[in-house]
Amino acid sequence: ETGVTQTPRHLVMGMTNKKSLKCEQHLGHNAMYWYKQSAKKPLELMFVYNFKEQTENNSVPSRFSPECPNSSHLFLHLHTLQPEDSALYLCASSQPMDSALVGFGQGTRLTVV
Amino acid sequence: GQNIDQPTEMTATEGAIVQINCTYQTSGFNGLFWYQQHAGEAPTFLSYNVLDGLEEKGRFSSFLSRSKGYSYLLLKELQMKDSASYLCAVRDSNYQLIWGAGTKLIIKP
């Protein structure tokens, strides 16, 4: 138990579907992150939220839409994805400016067919 | 550009010692981190180096040389449960983590 919970753990979706990934943290952190992890590639930072405000969007395509209703919850809304978007999507949290204390969720394994 | 290099895969024997290297080129430096990630699980924090030298924590040690842009993770008395990927990450001048692709460590009996 890492204190960061992601659902679902596995997701298979068609290119025309709309789905959402959910992340919840119980660590009292105020920064939350979405990462994409592809095989044999470095973790790619997608979005950063500090105190519910988006502070970073690393040129992520608009078919990925994040939502952060409060400091404990983070969503990633998905629509019209491409097969190359298949990857492990990791949520993480930390105190702002203190990435040494990043706690990761177990990830959602996404397959786009 | 910013870059973290580490070997893709390493194999070692149970009970032995293995050293996983990481070299980096980043915009500024505010610390280097090692994480362990078992297949299908979340990465977990192992170690943090911000000053040159060796940090020891049980069977695991991490070394840093800032002048050489180099770190290693040393695992002693290897156990089967140490089979995992080991991720090296550097915090840059903007306090963002730059990640390596990870080293998959395979432990054989």
Side-chain angles (χ1 to χ4, degrees):
Chain A
E1 176 59 50
T2 65
V4 182
T5 304
Q6 288 186 245
T7 54
R9 291 293 308 278
H10 301 273
L11 178 63
V12 179
M13 61 185 288
M15 288 189 283
T16 58
N17 291 158
K18 290 185 180 180
K19 296 287 184 183
S20 295
L21 309 185
K22 180 182 177 182
C23 175
E24 183 175 359
Q25 59 97 0
H26 305 279
L27 300 170
H29 290 159
N30 288 300
M32 296 190 77
Y33 312 79
W34 278 117
Y35 281 94
K36 177 183 179 181
Q37 188 175 35
S38 302
K40 300 183 179 180
K41 290 186 178 179
L43 282 171
E44 299 174 45
L45 180 63
M46 300 174 71
F47 301 105
V48 181
Y49 279 82
N50 285 300
F51 297 96
K52 302 186 299 177
E53 298 296 321
Q54 187 180 126
T55 57
E56 187 120 6
N57 175 342
N58 277 350
S59 303
V60 180
S62 59
R63 57 186 184 268
F64 295 91
S65 175
E67 178 189 0
C68 188
N70 55 61
S71 294
S72 298
H73 293 85
L74 185 64
F75 295 89
L76 188 62
H77 303 300
L78 316 172
H79 64 97
T80 59
L81 294 191
Q82 304 298 311
E84 60 264 30
D85 296 323
S86 299
L88 182 68
Y89 288 84
L90 289 165
C91 173
S93 70
S94 75
Q95 290 300 359
M97 299 298 285
D98 193 359
S99 47
L101 296 177
V102 169
F104 282 92
Q106 291 182 299
T108 296
R109 174 66 64 186
L110 173 67
T111 303
V112 181
V113 297
Chain B
Q2 307 201 88
N3 194 50
I4 309 282
D5 285 316
Q6 49 181 134
T8 302
E9 187 173 299
M10 299 181 71
T11 302
T13 305
E14 189 177 15
I17 298 173
V18 70
Q19 177 175 310
I20 302 174
N21 296 326
C22 171
T23 58
Y24 63 89
Q25 296 169 314
T26 56
S27 302
F29 178 85
N30 282 297
L32 184 142
F33 303 80
W34 285 96
Y35 284 80
Q36 180 190 62
Q37 185 178 22
H38 286 100
E41 297 185 13
T44 56
F45 171 78
L46 284 179
S47 69
Y48 170 66
N49 295 71
V50 66
L51 299 176
D52 290 351
L54 189 68
E55 294 283 339
E56 297 186 77
K57 192 184 294 184
R59 295 188 297 114
F60 292 7
S61 303
S62 56
F63 171 83
L64 174 67
S65 169
R66 288 171 296 171
S67 62
K68 295 182 180 178
Y70 167 70
S71 171
Y72 67 72
L73 181 69
L74 190 71
L75 292 75
K76 302 177 183 177
E77 301 169 16
L78 286 170
Q79 301 174 11
M80 298 303 293
K81 67 179 182 180
D82 297 329
S83 292
S85 287
Y86 291 86
L87 311 179
C88 174
V90 171
R91 188 163 57 185
D92 68 9
S93 57
N94 294 320
Y95 276 76
Q96 294 297 330
L97 285 178
I98 311 301
W99 295 85
T103 298
K104 183 178 180 181
L105 178 63
I106 300 168
I107 309 297
K108 295 185 175 180

